[in-house]
Amino acid sequence: IAKGKVQWKMVTCWPKNFPALGTGVQRIADSIYEMSDGRFEIKVYGAGELVPAFEVFDAVRERVAEMGHDAPYYWVAKHSAMPFFTTVPGGLTAQEHASWIYFGGGQKLWDELYDKFGLKGFLAGTGGPNVGGWFRNEIKSLDDFQGLRMRMPGLGGEMLSRIGAIPVNMPGGEILPALQSGALDAAEWVAPYNDLAFGFHKITKYYYAPGIQEPGSALALTVNLEAYNDLPKDLQVMLKIAAGDEAFRMLSEMTAGNAIALEVLLSKHGVILKNFPEDVIAAMFKAGRDIIKEKSQEDEFTLKVYNEWINYRSKIINLAPLTELGYMKLRSKFDNIN
């Protein structure tokens, strides 16, 4: 802070200006600059420009940069509770997760966790529901997952392992070369908008959706707590508002982009869209339930998060048929009837 102006660095896990993820990060920086009338300026660095994608968390802790944009489940090696603040297999949709963070006690738990690392986390975007992924070959049964090498991070990767596949974690920019070289047989990233931009359809044609592994992948604005506390109160509020605005805006961009990109993938590039067989879906849900329950036993705080999260999830499941889920089922069935 000099002469009343604040200049920060933001490191991210995404390529610079990548659709929704990268553009959303820049929107956060631009919003803060505009709200502060130029008093608070944030320079955004894409993955690899200042630090590698998977070093964002430590870079913010060590104040190499004052803030970062990431997916908390990348940092599960730091603490077993991390995935609950992004997504877990068979978990919450993007809207459900936001409701848990803002009004279901999730933010309080998140603050308690990040205090241990000298950080502050804000919900600041989402990839929405992830598709099941891209595959070289058709998936006809659970047997086709045996030995399959697939890019999938977080607990979704553990889910894959339990159904017989070999999960591989890597940043988004490394996925296409790995598919091209044959190092991967399959991969998931986000959904049509981002997947089209990466060009996965050039190597693989089978596209499976919906996915079980990430029903609503929440993203975080991760801030060095000491740097945050040094900010004037009004700039703290602007940062919080910009993050919250992007939590909704990024989902909106993803939804619009996915609708357009899906049409391009199917009509222009000949992508084959399919659902997973029922035995695969059942195995994925069971593996997901088992994993998060087992993870909850690894640490007292993780058990606390799990208990509060699973209780909230049960309420949301009861609500869903009365709201979006119920309406969408009716729309799908009756919309084309004359």
Side-chain angles (χ1 to χ4, degrees), residues 121-319:
F122 297 92
L123 184 61
T126 175
N130 282 19
V131 298
W134 295 87
F135 295 78
R136 292 180 180 275
N137 301 307
E138 186 176 0
I139 301 296
K140 297 179 180 178
S141 74
L142 195 56
D143 292 341
D144 293 321
F145 271 92
Q146 307 314 301
L148 186 88
R149 293 164 299 176
M150 183 172 184
R151 186 270 177 189
M152 188 177 287
L155 298 188
E158 289 196 38
M159 177 195 76
L160 273 186
S161 180
R162 296 198 182 197
I163 67 172
I166 301 169
V168 179
N169 192 13
M170 61 177 62
E174 298 178 13
I175 299 174
L176 185 62
L179 287 169
Q180 290 171 321
S181 70
L184 291 176
D185 303 309
E188 66 85 46
W189 175 240
V190 182
Y193 189 37
N194 286 165
D195 294 358
L196 175 63
F198 266 143
F200 301 142
H201 59 277
K202 299 174 184 177
I203 308 298
T204 57
K205 291 297 183 184
Y206 288 101
Y207 200 30
Y208 280 81
I212 308 303
Q213 77 283 2
E214 295 190 27
S217 49
L219 305 177
L221 189 64
T222 301
V223 184
N224 181 281
L225 187 58
E226 183 179 28
Y228 179 76
N229 288 335
D230 286 342
L231 288 174
K233 182 67 175 178
D234 63 332
L235 297 188
Q236 289 182 352
V237 172
M238 291 175 198
L239 189 154
K240 183 177 180 180
I241 289 172
D245 180 66
E246 195 54 39
F248 176 75
R249 198 171 295 276
M250 188 182 292
L251 179 60
S252 300
E253 182 182 350
M254 287 294 298
T255 302
N258 283 337
I260 296 167
L262 178 62
E263 186 174 15
V264 172
L265 288 170
L266 298 180
S267 62
K268 183 177 179 181
H269 297 297
V271 168
I272 302 167
L273 182 63
K274 299 184 75 68
N275 301 127
F276 285 125
E278 286 195 3
D279 65 334
V280 171
I281 295 171
M284 285 180 172
F285 269 112
K286 183 181 185 306
R289 287 194 303 270
D290 291 346
I291 289 165
I292 60 174
K293 191 168 185 179
E294 290 168 19
K295 286 289 181 185
S296 73
Q297 305 302 313
E298 293 181 4
D299 176 88
E300 185 177 348
F301 180 75
T302 306
L303 179 60
K304 177 181 176 180
V305 173
Y306 170 79
N307 285 335
E308 293 198 24
W309 178 89
I310 202 74
N311 182 52
Y312 193 80
R313 180 180 180 270
S314 68
K315 293 179 174 62
I316 287 293
I317 287 176
N318 291 335
L319 176 67

